[in-house]
Amino acid sequence: MDITIASTFLPHDDPQATLAFYRDLLGFEVRNDVGYNGMHWITVGPAGQPGTSIVLYPPAADPGVTEAERGTITEMMAKGTYARITLAVPDLDDAFDRLQAGGADVVQEPTEQPYGVRDAAFRDPAGNLIRINELN
């Protein structure tokens, strides 16, 4: 089977802060920016990789989620325990320095993990955990 990851979804609660982080700080391309009924979806992706996208969506958009569940999601987002994604770069130190200088919320400085990965971690404006692995 020839299969590719086309998109993944991360919640967001502030379109301007989301764009500032993903577009301006990470350098992702904005592929779609849609507002509907007071909510906002933003699709971004790495330059030169048109087949891979992150859809940043309002967690209130799912009609199957109850108000109590929305409250739980909001609490988990604030704690940074609701969603995460792992990215990869060839030079982790450079990426870390750029993100830190840009004001990103640092969770973990570049670290050699005992399981063989060198990585760092940040939180996006919605609290999503962004881990960045160094490519070997």
Side-chain angles (χ1 to χ4, degrees):
M1 178 179 343
D2 184 9
I3 192 164
T4 301
I5 296 172
S7 60
T8 190
F9 287 71
L10 291 176
H12 82 90
D13 52 9
D14 181 337
Q16 299 329 84
T18 295
L19 282 170
F21 183 81
Y22 286 93
R23 180 194 60 207
D24 303 338
L25 198 51
L26 287 177
F28 284 0
E29 298 172 334
V30 175
R31 307 230 169 103
N32 207 357
D33 190 340
V34 177
Y36 178 73
N37 280 346
M39 294 180 279
H40 210 101
W41 288 259
I42 303 167
T43 304
V44 297
Q49 298 178 42
T52 303
S53 296
I54 299 171
V55 179
L56 300 147
Y57 71 98
D62 187 342
V65 174
T66 67
E67 284 305 313
E69 291 167 333
R70 281 188 183 94
T72 300
I73 290 168
T74 300
E75 288 173 14
M76 292 179 72
M77 285 172 64
K79 289 183 358 184
T81 59
Y82 186 70
R84 68 195 49 113
I85 191 168
T86 300
L87 307 174
V89 296
D91 186 342
L92 181 60
D93 294 316
D94 179 59
F96 180 85
D97 290 345
R98 288 181 30 200
L99 287 165
Q100 186 177 40
D105 180 13
V106 176
V107 174
Q108 174 203 301
E109 293 189 9
T111 303
E112 291 286 342
Q113 301 292 353
Y115 43 87
V117 172
R118 184 165 186 265
D119 68 357
F122 297 86
R123 292 208 192 286
D124 76 2
N128 299 309
L129 183 64
I130 311 297
R131 295 202 75 82
I132 303 177
N133 291 354
E134 185 167 63
L135 297 171
N136 294 330

